[in-house]
Amino acid sequence: MKNQYIKRIYKCGLCLLLVTMSVSSCKKLDEFNPTSLSEQNVLTNFAGWKAYQANCYTGLFGSLIGLQYGLVSEVGTDLWTFPYNNHNQYKDIMAYEAFTTSSGIIKNVWDFAWGSIESCNKTIQLSTQLTDGAANAADIKTLVAETKCLRAYYYSVIVAQFGSVPLIVIDEPLKTLSPERTPIPQIYTQIIADLTAAAADLPVLPYQNNAARVTKKAALGLLARAYAQGAGEGLTENGKSYWQRAKEVADDLITNKGTYNAVMYDDFAKVFAAGNNRNNAEALFTAYGLNPYDPSYDAFTGNSKPNIYLHYYPKLDDAFGTADLFKRSVNSNTSNGYYGRLNQQFVAPTKYLINCFNATYDKRWENTFVTAFTNYSGVQAISNLGSGAPSPANVTYAAATVTLTAAICTKYGIDASHVGEKIYPYADVNARNASANATWQYIPSTWPKGDYSGSTSVLQTIPNANVHPYPLAQNEDRFFVYLSKDPLTAVDKKARRYVTLNIDDLFDPSDATGSTYKAVSAGNGLPNSALANLFPAMMKFNHNFDGGWLGGNFQQKLGNIMIMRMAEVYLIDAEATIHTGGGAAAAQYLNVLRQRACRNPADFNVGTGMQLTTATINDVFDEYARELCGEYSRWALLKREKAFESRLATYNATAAANFNPSIHYNRPIPFSFLSQITNGADFGTNGY
Amino acid sequence: MNLTLRTKVFLRSLIRGASPLVGLLLLLSVQTHAKTRPGYNYTHSSFTGKPAPITVKGTVYDEKGGTIPGANVKVKSSGKTTVTDVNGAFTLALPSGDETLIISFVGFKTQEVAVNNRTAIKIILEPSTSSLDEVVVVGYGTTKKRDLTGSVVSVKSDDITARPGPNPIESLQGRVPGLDITRTSGQAGAGVNIQLRGTRSFKADGTPLFIINGLPGDYATINANDIESIDVLKDASATAVYGSAGANGVIIITTKSGKAGKMNIDFNSYYGFNGWSVLPKMLTGEDYLRAKRDAYSYVYDAANSKWVKSYTVGSVTTSAQWQSPADDPAIFGAQRYALYQQGQFVDWPGVLLRKNPATQNYSLAASGGTEATKAYVSFNLQDENSQYRGDDYKLYSTNIRLDHKIKNWVSVGANLQASYVVRNKAQDKLENAITTDPLIQPYNPDGSLNTVLGNNVYNLLLDYQPGVYENLDNNTKVFFNPYIELRPIKGLTFLSRAGVHMDYSNTYRFDGIGSVSYTYANANIAKARVNQDRYEGLQWENILTYNLKVRKDHELTFTGVTSYYYNQNNKTEMNQSNITSNNFEWYKFTGDVNTTAITSYTMSKSFGLIGRLNYSYKGKYLFSASMRHDGASQLYETNRWDTFPAFSAAWRISDEQFMAGTKNWLDDLKLRGSWGITGTAKIDPYSSVSNVESANASLGGTTIPIYRNSSFLTNPDLAWEKSTATNLGLDAAVFNGRINLSADYYNTNTNGVIFAVALPSIYGTYTPGTNYQTNINIAQTNNKGIEVALSTRNVVTKDFEWSSSISYSRNWERVLKITDNTDNVANTGTSYTLMLGQPVNSFRNFKINGVWQIGEEVDAAAFGKRPGDLKVDVPGMTQLAPGVYTKQAANGTTTYYYANLTAAQKFNPALTAANSLYNYSANDYEPVGHNSPDWSLGFQNHFKYKNFDLTVYSYMRWGQTISYNLMGWYQPNAFAINASPSRTFPAAFNYWTPTNPSNDFPVMDFTSSSSTLTGFSGLNFVDGSFFKVKNITLGYTLPTNIGKKVGLQRFRVYSTITNPVVLAKSHFLKDYDPEMNGGLAYPLTKQLVFGLDITL
């Protein structure tokens, strides 16, 4: 009995032991996390902080210079309108139609512009706590100044588009879900303060020689721009109007160009020349693109690579099909290795913008707009790679050559005398595989006029492969269509072996403001009704050079995009000068731009009209259009000049029809943001 | 009152859905009960003699004539006991021939047999129909069904194997009230979606906890033939012992074990075909031409608000491009018109899919044992092929169970479940394929594949070329759970169970030269990827049970448990690009710049301490109380532990004295009630800690390191979501088990639902366009519901039997709180919007009131719309007169909307603007339905005639809204000349034209598209209610006596057809199975299999 008792105790004890063991051994529930780092670990030393600062640049390339801000900052103005059959696309920002808080493109601009501000705030805050050996005051000062410059830029986009918004400059752990708006003057004060500090502290040459990093001239340029934009709000600083301050800053930058390493090219053609894309001397502030040849290509942290260029091009497939004159579709991806993929056709120039240019003298016309379209060959690629040439470059010289038939001539209104003649390619592309993910580059050269050998030895390299000879010669045989700015007579057209249209004939005559393109409709007066799809294509962002292509996605390009360049400083100076009372002085700033735009230096004189003796605000508007059209500035310009009502009525009746000045000077606060905060109703939509 | 309103709603839906059936069945079963008698017959071979010791030899049979080994035979007077042998025979020496024997065996009614001086007795046991003595597995223990206090549904092996299929859980669809199961994909080896008693949590996964033989296991690879029972624990009193993992319910699977004295060999197999899926017929041929012409036949004359063939403004005439068939070439474009003239319309699904691929299953199980040692071993091979070529699923699995009694007080054993799955996966873009331009040919004239089908349209046949594409995964899973059980003193058991769970899965993906990805997405670069995921889990549980009887009437059971889980996940991904030959696949990673590797790691630990007390007074009054103290590493260190209590009670009314008068017809009546708190386990590792991520960025064309905050910002206060659940239940059995009813009402409040609050972008974004998020226990949900399970044996005669079972569930689900003061918040990562008062998985979008019709131009103009545009419902919009509307804003201001000022001034002379148009926008979104069903009904009828059996199982799921993807393919601009790309859509889509006043789809006009037809996204939401006959099985079992002659205990052949009838409520869902829930990657198939079950 006793024995059994002991046995029982022994057994129960065993159970208890097991339980105790398991309890004691298991109660520790610490996490083991070998894959991430705490803020404490990394942001308290200089190297970590510097890496955190670098992320403040993430919001630039891809996001803020892509399609979204690219269109929002330009359309809905006197410069751009709908091409045929695209009135429904972006009619909110282009024509103020059905403009609501659910506009997706406005939401993108809001999110992208705000995205990096918090990182900027935190970077600036943490800068005072770095004590490790690697932290040296000069580096910290430079990086903080960069960060302030970036923060000011982001805020300048937001305040120009949305007006009064919450001004957040400190990273607080507690983030209120009922944010309050800050009055516009306070926001500008902050922007000016940041830029002033940045301009003082930034070096002339970029930190560690990295061309993406902002420098003193960027801060000064943005400062001039911010003063000008703030001037539109009627702001003053210590008794001086913002216009005065804008002029002072601009003058300083112009006068002391050399000191600040700021440059004006002597020739407009150089501004968008392929060779100047990466280290553009005229750029004050660049969204630096991606280098497909460098491993850094794979480290892209932006939202998506910019796809801005194609929206300014017509859909050639819709105008021509791909069965006769036009050989390789631009409608699908990785098909056309010269134009890329042009399947959107969203934005066309208004008649006003076209007429701004006096193309007889002003080379900015053909350096901004493509008006002649061509086929291309891939002789270089084929000779280098044989059957390994990727399909966009696998185009023989013969395959790129069109022989005119009677049917083609009839279809497009080419004179029958040209039947049997040939139209040769203008461009030839080489192909080069850049890297695993960026894949192929399509590198263009041009065939000289009159040489039909198809031999690579005759190929020429021109500074910008998108630019074609202007005006197109009567006997030109490398382009299949030409949109002539100067009206050509029927007799003149007859002599040409290519489709020839007068740009004036593309516009619907019933809209006197020139904001309506004709429809594809029988009897539209064009040789073939489908040609109503065409319009001059703005080419500034179509990076067509080795390193500018993304082989897997022809809608995206990798070249740098300038956020601000020196020419704008002259324009701001002219604008500010007029506002501070000086027409003749303003003309001098404009003349700098006009002189270098002359096709022949001798044309720069009062007689041609290229030289101005005095300037009005309209001259300033026109010069902005000629020089900066497409470059992220027009909407802000009309806003600060309070010019939407007058200029839309005159130059863009389509947009004027629904423009409501009490609402449309600010963008709608996005619905998604209002639904994320708890005081959405109080915060308001900006009247939408 | 809220409650009464809900009750009414319930009654209405019950009446609509189920009540005729219930009534009919009740009636039938009562009638047939009156007519028939339960007959058990035993044979007399008697002769009389004076009382003297005799030896009785007997054999025990089941109702089918099979012998029952291991049955207990007890002499009533002396208590002397023996057990039948392998052949069901026993021999007993009795003091006299007057004795009475008591024969019992699990699953059969205990029978008393008077010996009456016979020496040879044949005893036929009747199966236990009352089922009250069935053993039900509950958390950390078992109980008899009669003693249950919680809401537990037990499903036995016959029901699980009745519907052959790869996933045993699918056989529970419609069988367990409250358990909503759907299978949305017809892919080979596809899983099921499981949700118990509604959605409580905002995180997507509501899958219950699966416990196999005591520890978490994998239900997808377990062989249905190995399952002894599945017990579904539904209410908090049953699941609270699982603490932080119990809120979604617990499903306990018990596998078969060997039985003493009985050696069995089972062979089960089936072979059949998977296919015949019904797909929407697309526009081709003449239909396509008609749509194309419609798209070009009209232009809109805005000045006159009319769709016309042509109109003139000033000198400019605008004409529709199609005026007569002569214009066909113009609207097609020369190249496509040539294709049209050739008339070669392509049937893309026909090109892509196989007709009826084979599916087969073979399983072999051997079991047996002695009093001391029992063993069960099974092997299973399953081979399923899907409709895509090169898409298949092969499963090899084994299940081994060993129990050995070392001493009277010590047992040891182990349980091994192992599986190896090999799966080949095809590119599953069927939806894109069937909407592909029907005029474009899959092959070029020279026989090569046509790669130019239009922008972003892939010719999936490229991947069917030999050697160009592979997407293979193989997955090895091993669960090994040894245990030791000690019984040191009477009533005390101590069970210690440890387990290791290893899950090694490899995925190999190769997109070689010429494959789909190579051709389209990867810019002519061949790529390979290898993913290796290694999951290791360790589990250790100790269970102490002490059972105590005090003075006969009081029974107490105490259970104490410790439970420790540790698991870790290692993931490796390796990528190779620029592969130069398809021979290499993933076998030759070069280790140069074209090779990359990524690894990741997560781990978590949890520990629980559980105590439970059960008390029973005379088996009439039952109480249970439990408490679990749970800790988990995912939570912040100061906040790691939590407690989950539960109580329940039951009253067996039928045992009361005052119910004695009902004994002849009422077998059982029990009331149950419970209350408890459970948690939800879905907190990701490391989500309580804020981290900085290290990454690289490109700046100035060079790589620089960056740091950024991780996408989730810290919340140290994060805790488990807790559900407080109340359950009331009623169980009744009448007419000798002929009718069994079980009904439950539950009410579950979930507080502190974790919501990943997206921080507004003014506080920065994680990456451009992606907001930071932080997890907060802030939201609240409520689920109420009723569940009814009714099983009846309607006709029982010697040759013919008919039994039915119905399971009905109705759930009301509401979001009570999202965050303070917010409503209508997108549930990130899902397609749902969280709205107060609506179910969790609800859609919010434009509500479409049809299409603006001719004659409504004046009204449409106030919204800037034309006839043919979508008519969007605008909440709060009031019509004052034709074309004049008002709407009141939240701040009380009223705005007038009109196109005609004069008309509006009649109501408000102060108006001056020439027009004031209302623009439809996201502000007009409304709730447009929820993805969870209102109710579901499973209805099974089982017929038996002699040796034939027929089971018809049908299923209804009602009230759910689905987002039907195909609706979005209605794109008039896809019919444009140079559409990018050209597409087609289902022929059944009834679109609007000036001559066809449809309210289904807006105008067919090639300049219109989904983005221009405001409200278009609202079209997607379609009532997904359906009725389907899920299975019909016809079987034949060889009579036992014939089987015996050839040495078979059991021989059955059967044939099952799955999904033969599918009826959808909505007319939009023509030729579509709504169970797919809107998608169309892998259509659900019909299945026809022929099966064979043999027991040796």
Side-chain angles (χ1 to χ4, degrees), chain A residues 308-507:
Chain A
I308 173 90
Y309 83 94
L310 73 158
H311 303 92
Y312 287 99
Y313 273 71
K315 288 156 89 169
L316 297 176
D317 291 38
D318 282 13
F320 295 99
T322 54
D324 42 46
L325 283 180
F326 181 48
K327 295 294 214 178
R328 284 191 72 88
S329 165
V330 286
N331 207 6
S332 57
N333 199 18
T334 63
S335 171
N336 193 303
Y338 173 64
Y339 287 120
R341 183 175 179 190
L342 312 177
N343 65 327
Q344 303 291 19
Q345 190 168 305
F346 287 167
V347 189
T350 57
K351 208 171 193 173
Y352 161 71
L353 176 56
I354 293 165
N355 289 343
C356 268
F357 295 87
N358 183 348
T360 313
Y361 307 112
D362 194 335
K363 65 161 71 167
R364 285 179 291 192
W365 172 248
E366 72 268 22
N367 280 284
T368 303
F369 287 101
V370 181
T371 50
F373 295 93
T374 180
N375 289 303
Y376 73 99
S377 58
V379 179
Q380 297 168 87
I382 295 168
S383 70
N384 287 339
L385 299 162
S387 63
S391 67
N394 201 348
V395 185
T396 62
Y397 191 78
T401 304
V402 178
T403 305
L404 292 173
T405 63
I408 295 176
C409 289
T410 311
K411 184 175 171 189
Y412 297 109
I414 300 171
D415 191 73
S417 63
H418 298 294
V419 170
E421 290 178 355
K422 289 185 157 71
I423 299 175
Y424 300 95
Y426 172 61
D428 185 82
V429 301
N430 198 357
R432 203 172 149 203
N433 194 352
S435 62
N437 294 318
T439 72
W440 297 94
Q441 295 296 309
Y442 298 96
I443 307 140
S445 307
T446 55
W447 296 107
K449 190 174 164 195
D451 186 303
Y452 314 120
S453 63
S455 157
T456 53
S457 61
V458 302
L459 284 166
Q460 301 169 331
T461 306
I462 62 169
N464 184 345
N466 295 328
V467 177
H468 54 75
Y470 186 87
L472 213 58
Q474 238 181 16
N475 65 352
E476 180 61 69
D477 54 7
R478 296 171 295 170
F479 297 85
F480 60 81
V481 63
Y482 177 48
L483 312 178
S484 177
K485 187 165 185 315
D486 297 320
L488 301 176
T489 63
V491 177
D492 187 335
K493 287 182 183 173
K494 261 191 173 181
R496 300 175 190 247
R497 69 169 65 172
Y498 44 88
V499 184
T500 312
L501 301 170
N502 291 333
I503 291 175
D504 288 348
D505 293 340
L506 296 172
F507 284 94

Side-chain angles (χ1 to χ4, degrees), chain B residues 197 200 723-726 746-750 781-784:
Chain B
R197 290 187 165 180
R200 290 161 298 279
S723 292
T724 308
T726 313
Y746 60 86
N747 186 350
T748 307
N749 274 308
T750 308
T781 59
N782 173 267
N783 277 274
K784 285 190 190 65

